[in-house]
Amino acid sequence: MNLKILYEDKDVIVTVKPRGISSQSSNSFEEDMVSLLKKHMGKDAYVGVIHRLDKPVYGIMVYGKNKKATEILSNELRKKNIEKTYEALVDGLPESDEGELTDFIKKLDNNVSKVVEKSTTGAKEAVLKYKVLESYKKDDRYITRLRINLITGRHHQIRLQCASHGFPLYGDHKYNKRLANVKTDEDKVLSLAAVNLSFKHPKTGMELNYKINADF
């Protein structure tokens, strides 16, 4: 598999993760982003994982090419200085054209998360902002395209929050309950893509910004 490289220098590499590929090294025999990047850069290359995308999600990622760059960018991520924008196709229509969702999420043992009370042991605050880009009615329901900015980065956050607020993602077999009974053409893939990534270069401090189009 040939990776799409958006930018590369001695410190960082910005690439597009395809659907079905893990963001970091996995224990299976399947290819993952780290092994694919090492094929591109050399088998002994340093690949520092800074952030993650779920396996079925498509989109832009940045990796560090040395320990120092990775540490700096990881710290920037913790301080919420790395901006990530997503687009999603959802089943339904939010009450307002733009807004902010705040919930408390707990990750469970079976690779799913759930919305819980704030006082629940292990609960973490999850915040995102969304904006409706377009919406149209098909049969008896609305199909809506959203732009989403993550304020926090929790396990399955976008998928879970959208579903819990009444507009689950198309193709999301974990959280879209409709798929248990009926599937549509839009449900062939998980309709979530990381379309924009902005961060400061760890060495030069230059603001870098990369965009792609959602593939759904």
Side-chain angles (χ1 to χ4, degrees):
M1 178 183 295
N2 293 323
L3 286 176
K4 183 177 182 180
I5 306 299
L6 303 181
Y7 176 81
E8 182 178 7
D9 63 17
K10 294 181 179 180
D11 299 292
V12 299
I13 183 166
V14 181
T15 184
V16 178
K17 186 188 86 65
R19 282 189 173 83
I21 302 293
S22 295
S23 300
Q24 56 189 339
S25 298
S26 61
N27 295 324
S28 69
F29 294 104
E30 298 177 351
E31 287 186 315
D32 55 66
M33 288 299 294
V34 173
S35 63
L36 289 172
L37 287 169
K38 286 188 174 184
K39 283 184 179 180
H40 167 73
M41 298 187 295
K43 64 178 182 179
D44 295 324
Y46 181 97
V47 181
V49 178
I50 295 155
H51 61 121
R52 294 164 180 79
L53 291 177
D54 291 346
K55 190 174 180 178
V57 178
Y58 156 84
I60 307 174
M61 299 192 70
V62 59
Y63 289 84
K65 292 182 65 175
N66 54 64
K67 187 175 181 180
K68 185 175 180 180
T70 300
E71 288 177 349
I72 291 172
L73 286 175
S74 296
N75 191 46
E76 288 291 284
L77 183 68
R78 282 191 292 271
K79 293 191 293 186
K80 301 180 174 61
N81 290 334
I82 295 180
E83 183 178 344
K84 296 175 285 184
T85 304
Y86 297 77
E87 285 188 14
L89 203 63
V90 301
D91 191 0
L93 183 64
E95 292 182 358
S96 57
D97 287 342
E98 55 185 299
E100 182 173 294
L101 305 181
T102 301
D103 297 288
F104 286 86
I105 287 177
K106 181 175 182 178
K107 183 179 178 182
L108 306 180
D109 293 335
N110 54 348
N111 197 35
V112 297
S113 291
K114 65 180 294 187
V115 173
V116 296
E117 295 294 328
K118 181 179 180 179
S119 58
T120 304
T121 301
K124 294 182 178 180
E125 186 178 39
V127 185
L128 64 78
K129 294 182 179 181
Y130 72 86
K131 182 178 181 179
V132 173
L133 298 180
E134 62 175 332
S135 185
Y136 59 93
K137 199 166 186 178
K138 183 176 181 181
D139 300 325
D140 60 343
R141 62 180 176 272
Y142 283 96
I143 297 176
T144 304
R145 183 182 289 265
L146 299 179
R147 176 175 291 128
I148 296 170
N149 288 94
L150 275 181
I151 309 303
T152 58
R154 307 303 183 198
H155 181 255
H156 291 173
Q157 180 179 336
I158 293 174
R159 299 162 64 181
L160 175 58
Q161 284 196 278
C162 287
S164 66
H165 286 268
F167 41 96
L169 272 63
Y170 274 88
D172 192 347
H173 293 260
K174 284 185 182 290
Y175 300 105
N176 190 335
K177 296 179 181 179
R178 173 181 57 78
L179 300 188
N181 300 313
V182 61
K183 297 178 180 63
T184 69
D185 288 340
E186 289 83 8
D187 292 310
K188 291 178 180 177
V189 297
L190 177 65
S191 297
L192 179 61
V195 297
N196 182 233
L197 183 69
S198 299
F199 61 96
K200 287 184 178 181
H201 191 281
K203 187 174 183 179
T204 67
M206 182 181 295
E207 189 73 32
L208 301 177
N209 183 56
Y210 299 95
K211 295 180 180 180
I212 58 172
N213 293 320
D215 63 347
F216 47 81

